[in-house]
Amino acid sequence: MTDATFTFRVDESLKADFTAAARGLDRTGAQLLRDFMRDFVRQQQEKQAYDAWFRREVQAGLDDVSAGRLLSADEVEARFAARRAEVQRRGQKTP
């Protein structure tokens, strides 16, 4: 990995406060900024991955609707009532 320089302007008092806070953690400002940058990149990657997953799920749902693969609210309720009954039945068994 090659290093690159990142230069930007910041208010002098913010720089002094940041440097003091970093020193209090026994870190340099540069170390903290690299950590912040890595965290930001990771968060953005996770956000993009979630967004892509969500869009795929929505499209799958739309495709199901278009293909007529639907359940009425009554059918869904009946299925989950059966599941609840099964779980309750299993919970009442003695080993």
Side-chain angles (χ1 to χ4, degrees):
M1 172 179 75
T2 59
D3 289 342
T5 300
F6 194 108
T7 305
F8 60 96
R9 295 188 183 281
V10 64
D11 181 85
E12 185 62 40
S13 64
L14 176 60
K15 180 183 177 193
D17 291 345
F18 181 73
T19 301
R23 202 175 303 123
L25 296 172
D26 198 27
R27 307 284 306 275
T28 66
Q31 288 171 320
L32 290 177
L33 289 171
R34 282 190 294 271
D35 290 345
F36 292 150
M37 291 172 77
R38 282 187 202 100
D39 287 345
F40 178 77
V41 169
R42 180 189 48 76
Q43 289 170 5
Q44 294 307 303
Q45 290 169 337
E46 288 173 359
K47 181 180 179 250
Q48 289 172 359
Y50 174 80
D51 191 50
W53 168 83
F54 184 77
R55 289 176 186 274
R56 285 191 308 271
E57 292 297 308
V58 168
Q59 188 59 55
L62 293 172
D63 292 346
D64 284 344
V65 169
S66 294
R69 293 185 295 265
L70 301 171
L71 294 175
S72 70
D74 290 338
E75 291 171 309
V76 172
E77 285 297 326
R79 286 184 182 194
F80 278 94
R83 285 184 182 182
R84 282 190 297 274
E86 177 62 22
V87 168
Q88 287 175 344
R89 185 188 63 74
R90 278 193 240 147
Q92 293 174 355
K93 282 186 178 179
T94 55

